């Protein structure tokens, strides 16, 4: 069924019956999107995802019949972009994959990153208009790379897109619903349905980002929690 859904959506599909085979399929075909079952005959789907993340930044959608919230959090902590519980409708999976693939990758949707809103928040590098800098962090949205104090960071696609969205906002509060849409790519769907599970996933992604950015919770350098609402970028600090 999953093969049929993705082929109908226009993808070239390669399938594997086991986790080990799946890792090699992703590697050999340079996959753009991976649907990954949690329950596999040879190893846990989370372990497969860990192995995939060692060499690929493909979009990964976990498929599972498990209902436990810790299982969902494990998927996002391991690097999943989305998580679909069985049983699901074919159009739900197709919609989620399509939304991920719609994520803005070009400058046109990022014009706000180039504007100066008083100089207190992140701004682009004058020498390289694709680079947004903030408190020792440098994000290049064309090459989709991030460095912290000159050292490269490895982020998942969802983590990168959330970080980019917060940098673009330049201190404006981004609600959890806003960030869910940023992670999905639903920039133009104002009425898109946002579930509690979606918002918890964003919180997990933010937690992962803070860990990778070595954020001090007592004195955050990059973004602050706005209780009951969402998150915002911290003011820019003197160099």
């Amino acid at each position: 069924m999953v093969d049929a859904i993705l082929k109908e959506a226009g993808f070239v599909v390669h399938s594997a019956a086991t986790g080990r085979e799946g890792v090699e399929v992703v590697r050999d075909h340079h996959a753009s999107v991976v649907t990954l079952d949690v329950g596999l005959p040879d190893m846990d789907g989370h372990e497969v995802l860990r192995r995939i993340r060692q060499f690929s930044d493909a979009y990964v959608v976990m498929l599972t019949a498990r209902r436990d919230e810790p299982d969902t959090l494990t998927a996002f902590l391991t690097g999943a972009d989305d998580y679909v519980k069985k049983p699901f409708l074919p159009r739900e999976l197709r919609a989620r994959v399509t939304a991920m693939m719609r994520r803005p990758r070009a400058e046109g949707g990022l014009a706000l990153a180039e504007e100066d809103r008083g100089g207190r928040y992140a701004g682009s590098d004058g020498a390289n208009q694709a680079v947004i800098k903030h408190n020792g962090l440098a994000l290049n949205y064309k090459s989709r790379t991030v460095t912290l104090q000159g050292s490269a960071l490895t982020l998942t696609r969802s983590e990168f897109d959330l970080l980019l969205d917060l940098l673009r906002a330049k201190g404006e509060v981004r609600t959890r619903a806003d960030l869910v849409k940023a992670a999905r790519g639903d920039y133009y769907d104002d009425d898109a349905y946002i579930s509690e599970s979606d918002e918890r996933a964003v919180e997990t992604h933010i937690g992962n980002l803070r860990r990778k950015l070595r954020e001090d919770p007592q004195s955050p350098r990059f973004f602050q929690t706005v209780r009951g609402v969402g998150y915002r970028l911290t003011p820019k600090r003197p160099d």
Side-chain angles (χ1 to χ4, degrees), residues 47-92:
E47 175 59 27
V48 176
L49 178 55
R50 290 187 189 96
R51 297 187 184 190
I52 288 173
R53 281 291 175 243
Q54 292 175 7
F55 62 87
S56 173
D57 66 347
Y59 293 108
V60 176
V61 182
M62 302 290 282
L63 309 177
T64 182
R66 300 177 186 176
R67 298 290 174 178
D68 296 337
E69 183 172 316
D71 199 62
T72 305
L73 297 179
T74 298
F76 288 121
L77 287 168
T78 310
D81 293 284
D82 209 343
Y83 192 95
V84 180
K85 294 181 180 179
K86 302 176 185 177
F88 55 84
L89 295 173
R91 63 176 177 269
E92 177 186 0

Side-chain angles (χ1 to χ4, degrees), residues 215-222 237:
E215 186 84 295
D216 179 358
Q218 302 304 318
S219 180
R221 189 176 185 86
F222 302 107
R237 298 181 180 181

Side-chain angles (χ1 to χ4, degrees), residues 143-208:
S143 63
R144 293 185 66 82
T145 55
V146 179
T147 60
L148 178 61
Q149 304 295 347
S151 299
L153 296 181
T154 301
L155 304 182
T156 67
R157 293 198 184 200
S158 293
E159 291 165 0
F160 182 94
D161 290 340
L162 289 174
L163 179 58
L164 176 57
D165 190 80
L166 286 163
L167 289 170
R168 287 178 61 206
K170 295 194 174 188
E172 293 181 1
V173 176
R174 299 294 285 162
T175 67
R176 292 179 180 83
D178 290 334
L179 294 172
V180 169
K181 292 178 182 179
R184 285 181 178 173
D186 294 340
Y187 279 91
Y188 307 107
D189 298 342
D190 292 335
D191 60 347
Y193 173 70
I194 307 297
S195 68
E196 290 183 9
S197 178
D198 291 328
E199 293 189 353
R200 286 196 296 271
V202 161
E203 292 174 356
T204 302
H205 287 313
I206 292 294
N208 289 341

